[in-house]
Amino acid sequence: METIVDKERIDEALELIWVLAEEGHNELDRFSLSSDDPDTNLLTKALIDQDLAMVSDNTIQLTEKGRKTARGLIRRQRLAERLFSDVFEMSDDSVVDDACKMEHILSEELTESVCTFLGHPPTCPHGKLIPRGDCCKKFKIEVTPVVTRLTEFEVGSTGKITFIVPSDPSRISKLNSLGISAGSIIKLIQKKPSSVLQIDETTVAIDHE
């Protein structure tokens, strides 16, 4: 009879086995000690029953089925971390916590879109490899992200504002009054000490947050 364990517990276990393998470890004892699960014996049995992992002596390894599932989870989590860190500039703690939630709900189609949006990043903010997806295989070189921060813009470049994420939400109204809003076409005239933007016939200076 197959051991029934909550899917989220299974997912967390698969991710842990993947991460430990990245670090060069496949010891069952290490897996048990590293897991936050309340019953790792039951969890391990469930992994075996569902053909997601195999145990031999004191080692635990993912099966082909388990590796495929874990790969998807790791890919979604690390892409979410990159999205939250690079685009929304969230704190490291929030990045990790929210990415862990996102990995369970992102569809394959949305994951591919996020990856393309970010320019197929090779690593997460912590330097760990992001498993490549089908969208990445279409490119032989890394492509430029669809969205770039203003601070990474080159002087003289022209672009369209996709969205604004200020540290203080009250700045949105001020920026809007200057003609700086989503959809605006801007040209970067100067980067330091302040960013100087040209919007139509208007030139605006913005202090860096």
Side-chain angles (χ1 to χ4, degrees), residues 2-204:
E2 183 177 292
T3 305
I4 304 299
V5 172
D6 180 78
K7 182 180 182 300
E8 189 166 330
R9 289 172 63 187
I10 292 290
D11 288 350
E12 294 297 330
L14 293 174
E15 288 181 74
L16 177 57
I17 296 172
W18 178 286
V19 171
L20 288 174
E22 285 183 322
E23 298 171 353
H25 298 289
N26 62 0
E27 302 91 345
L28 182 59
D29 290 345
R30 182 179 286 268
F31 166 72
S32 298
L33 290 172
S34 301
S35 175
D36 293 327
D37 196 89
D39 191 341
T40 54
N41 289 329
L42 180 67
L43 181 60
T44 301
K45 187 175 187 307
L47 291 171
I48 295 171
D49 288 349
Q50 295 180 36
D51 191 30
L52 296 170
M54 49 190 174
V55 174
S56 177
D57 296 327
N58 186 42
T59 64
I60 183 168
Q61 295 178 308
L62 297 172
T63 61
E64 183 177 347
K65 177 183 176 182
R67 184 172 178 79
K68 180 179 179 181
T69 303
R71 188 178 188 280
L73 289 165
I74 291 292
R75 173 170 163 76
R76 291 193 291 275
Q77 178 181 341
R78 292 179 181 175
L79 280 172
E81 288 179 359
R82 181 59 74 183
L83 177 69
F84 295 149
S85 176
D86 291 2
V87 178
F88 299 115
E89 299 183 339
M90 295 168 60
S91 66
D92 191 59
D93 288 343
S94 296
V95 163
V96 174
D97 291 343
D98 289 341
C100 285
K101 298 173 185 175
M102 288 290 287
E103 74 192 42
H104 300 291
I105 60 176
L106 278 177
S107 66
E108 182 62 30
E109 182 179 3
L110 185 54
T111 300
E112 297 287 276
S113 296
V114 170
C115 187
T116 300
F117 175 81
L118 295 172
H120 311 281
T123 62
C124 73
H126 308 98
K128 296 182 178 180
L129 291 176
I130 298 175
R132 313 306 270 165
D134 290 339
C135 62
C136 305
K137 297 174 184 177
K138 298 176 183 178
F139 300 92
K140 294 184 179 179
I141 59 173
E142 294 299 319
V143 298
T144 303
V146 176
V147 176
T148 304
R149 293 181 186 178
L150 178 61
T151 53
E152 297 172 357
F153 239 45
E154 295 294 333
V155 173
S157 298
T158 300
K160 181 179 181 179
I161 297 176
T162 305
F163 52 80
I164 301 172
V165 187
S167 57
D168 182 356
S170 65
R171 294 198 68 186
I172 288 289
S173 296
K174 182 178 180 180
L175 292 172
N176 287 341
S177 69
L178 296 173
I180 302 173
S181 60
S184 299
I185 303 298
I186 63 170
K187 181 177 182 179
L188 183 61
I189 305 299
Q190 172 185 301
K191 294 183 73 171
K192 295 181 179 180
S194 299
S195 293
V196 177
L197 310 177
Q198 181 179 329
I199 308 168
D200 294 327
E201 301 301 320
T202 304
T203 301
V204 179

